Amino acid sequence: MKTRILVVDDEADLELLIKQKFRRQIREGVYEFKFAGNGQEALDCIRENPDLDIILSDINMPVMDGLTLLSKLHELNSVLKTVMVSAYGDMENIRTAMNRGAFDFVCKPVDFADLEVTMQKTASHVQQLRETLRAIQENNILKMYVDETVINFMARPGFEDRLMASETVEATVVFIDICGFTALSEVLPAPTVVTLLNTYFDQMVKEIIAQGGYIDKFMGDAVMAVFRGEYHLDKAIDASLTVRTLIQNQLSTLPDGTSYQPQVSIGINTGEMVCGNIGSASLRRLDYTVIGDTVNVSQRLQGAAQPNQIIITDAIYLKVKESFQCQPVGELKLKNKAKPVMTYEVMA
C-alpha cells in the first residue's frame, strides 16, 4: 500500500534530495511525496489531499513555523501523523513538538536510512489507526442492523467454532402487524411509505426495548420481537399494550390530504423454542433467530387477530389472568394445527 507523505520545509534543495534518495521507492509506488514551503502551504495541501499519511516538517519556516502547524493539524485530520525533521533538536523543541502531537523527531543533518525506518514505523501506526477507526465505524453500522443480543452472542469466546450451534430457551415471541398497510403502500409514493413505516417502527421498538425485549426481525410492515429472562411473558404483554395505545394515537396526513389512522394486530405465544444461527455458513449468510412451534403459533395468532386485538392462547390466559384483563375470543383454526385453539384477547 502506497504511503503518501507531505514534506514541509523552506529549503529549496530538499525536494530534489528527497526525490533522489527515495527514487526507487517512488518508482515502485511505495512512497508518494508532496511538498510545501511553510506551514500555511501545508494546511492548504492537507485540505486538498485528505488521504495523506505522514508529514515530515521542519520547525523554522516563514509564514507559519512547524510547531504552529502541529497545533492546527488535529482539527483537519486526526489520523495524519507528523515527524519533525529539524536542526533545532534541543530538548525544549523536542518536548514542545511531542506535546503538540508530533509522532517522532529526526534531527538534521538527516540520516536518510534512519528517516526511512521512522517513516515505515509511522506509516504502520497510521495504518493501524485507520483499521481501528474503520472497525469502529463498521461496528456502529452493524448495531443499526443487528440487535445487541446478537452482537453479545458474537462476542462470546469461541463464537466462530460454535457458529451453527443452537440452544433451547424459554421465551415469549410477539408478532405485531400494522393493519392495512400493504394496501396503503400500493397507492402511496415509496418515500412516503418508508417514512410512515419507520415512524411507527421507531415507536414500537422503543417500547419493546424498554420492556427488555429485542427485535428479531422486521418483515415488511410487521415486527417479530423476542422476550427472555425473568417475567418475559408479562413484559411482552406490557410492551404489546403500550405499542397498541401508541399506534392508536397516531394520525398521519397522507399526500392527498386524507388522514390515516394506523392499527395493529398482535399475536403472543410463550414456551420453549430453539435459538441460534439459521442459514448457510459457507455463504456467510446467517440469521440469528428463534424457531419452533411456539414461534409459529405466535405468528398464526397475529394473522387471526383483528385490528387492535392482542390474541393469546388459553394456556397463556391461565398464566396471566390475574395480572391482565382478558376476554374470550373463541376457538380458532390455526394453520398446521389439527385441532382448533381456544384464544383470548388481552384488553388491559
Side-chain angles (χ1 to χ4, degrees):
M1 184 178 294
K2 183 183 294 186
T3 301
R4 294 171 174 83
I5 303 167
L6 172 62
V7 180
V8 189
D9 201 303
D10 62 334
E11 293 184 16
D13 59 347
L14 183 62
E15 179 175 347
L16 180 60
L17 189 58
I18 288 283
K19 290 178 178 178
Q20 288 177 347
K21 293 293 184 179
F22 296 108
R23 62 182 179 275
R24 179 181 59 81
Q25 294 92 326
I26 294 172
R27 186 171 60 248
E28 294 175 356
V30 177
Y31 299 136
E32 177 184 318
F33 289 96
K34 293 186 178 297
F35 299 88
N38 57 64
Q40 186 56 57
E41 290 181 11
L43 291 177
D44 295 338
C45 185
I46 294 166
R47 292 187 182 96
E48 295 172 1
N49 300 273
D51 58 347
L52 287 169
D53 300 301
I54 302 171
I55 295 178
L56 304 178
S57 178
D58 194 9
I59 290 181
N60 189 22
M61 295 178 291
V63 184
M64 181 187 292
D65 63 74
L67 295 177
T68 303
L69 170 64
L70 264 177
S71 65
K72 296 179 178 294
L73 287 177
H74 191 74
E75 304 170 8
L76 294 178
N77 191 326
S78 60
V79 175
L80 185 62
K81 294 301 174 185
T82 303
V83 176
M84 304 307 293
V85 183
S86 175
Y88 296 89
D90 57 277
M91 186 55 65
E92 182 178 355
N93 274 316
I94 292 175
R95 290 301 304 158
T96 301
M98 302 305 286
N99 287 335
R100 294 189 183 185
F103 184 76
D104 210 334
F105 201 108
V106 173
C107 293
K108 290 182 177 180
V110 176
D111 178 339
F112 281 93
D114 176 66
L115 176 62
E116 182 166 19
V117 171
T118 303
M119 288 160 51
Q120 291 171 348
K121 178 184 69 174
T122 310
S124 176
H125 181 76
V126 169
Q127 180 62 25
Q128 289 175 2
L129 277 178
R130 288 208 166 106
E131 289 175 356
T132 300
L133 288 173
R134 187 180 301 113
I136 292 172
Q137 291 171 344
E138 290 173 351
N139 188 54
N140 288 337
I141 293 171
L142 179 66
K143 287 180 178 178
M144 295 177 66
Y145 287 90
V146 181
D147 189 271
E148 186 176 355
T149 302
V150 182
I151 295 176
N152 292 338
F153 174 80
M154 292 189 296
R156 294 178 185 175
F159 163 72
E160 291 187 358
D161 297 333
R162 297 182 291 107
L163 197 61
M164 302 306 292
S166 61
E167 58 180 334
T168 300
V169 299
E170 184 79 20
T172 298
V173 180
V174 179
F175 281 85
I176 307 173
D177 182 75
I178 303 175
C179 304
F181 203 84
T182 301
L184 193 66
S185 64
E186 294 176 356
V187 296
L188 288 179
T192 302
V193 172
V194 171
T195 300
L196 277 176
L197 202 53
N198 286 341
T199 299
Y200 303 146
F201 279 163
D202 191 50
Q203 296 181 52
M204 293 159 65
V205 166
K206 286 177 182 177
E207 295 306 323
I208 290 167
I209 293 174
Q211 290 292 342
Y214 70 89
I215 304 301
D216 185 279
K217 60 176 65 71
F218 294 99
M219 305 172 294
D221 53 9
V223 177
M224 174 183 169
V226 181
F227 293 78
R228 295 172 63 175
E230 195 173 16
Y231 300 111
H232 55 81
L233 176 55
D234 286 14
K235 291 178 179 179
I237 295 176
D238 280 331
S240 298
L241 288 167
T242 305
V243 165
R244 181 176 65 181
T245 300
L246 278 173
I247 298 301
Q248 279 180 326
N249 292 334
Q250 293 293 312
L251 186 62
S252 302
T253 302
L254 303 180
D256 61 2
T258 59
S259 296
Y260 171 63
Q261 177 69 66
Q263 297 174 307
V264 292
S265 59
I266 302 175
I268 302 174
N269 198 23
T270 192
E272 285 191 349
M273 58 198 72
V274 177
C275 178
N277 281 310
I278 307 298
S280 171
S282 58
L283 289 177
R284 298 183 178 274
R285 189 72 175 93
L286 300 171
D287 186 15
Y288 184 77
T289 188
V290 289
I291 59 172
D293 184 64
T294 300
V295 180
N296 295 339
V297 169
S298 178
Q299 188 171 27
R300 303 287 183 261
L301 291 171
Q302 178 277 308
Q306 298 299 309
N308 289 331
Q309 275 193 328
I310 300 173
I311 300 299
I312 59 175
T313 65
D314 55 343
I316 296 177
Y317 167 71
L318 293 176
K319 294 180 180 180
V320 302
K321 63 181 181 180
E322 295 181 359
S323 301
F324 298 93
Q325 297 177 20
C326 305
Q327 67 179 25
V329 174
E331 291 187 338
L332 295 177
K333 184 69 173 72
L334 302 181
K335 184 179 179 181
N336 296 330
K337 286 293 180 182
K339 297 180 180 180
V341 176
M342 181 62 188
T343 59
Y344 287 78
E345 176 183 358
V346 182
M347 305 303 295

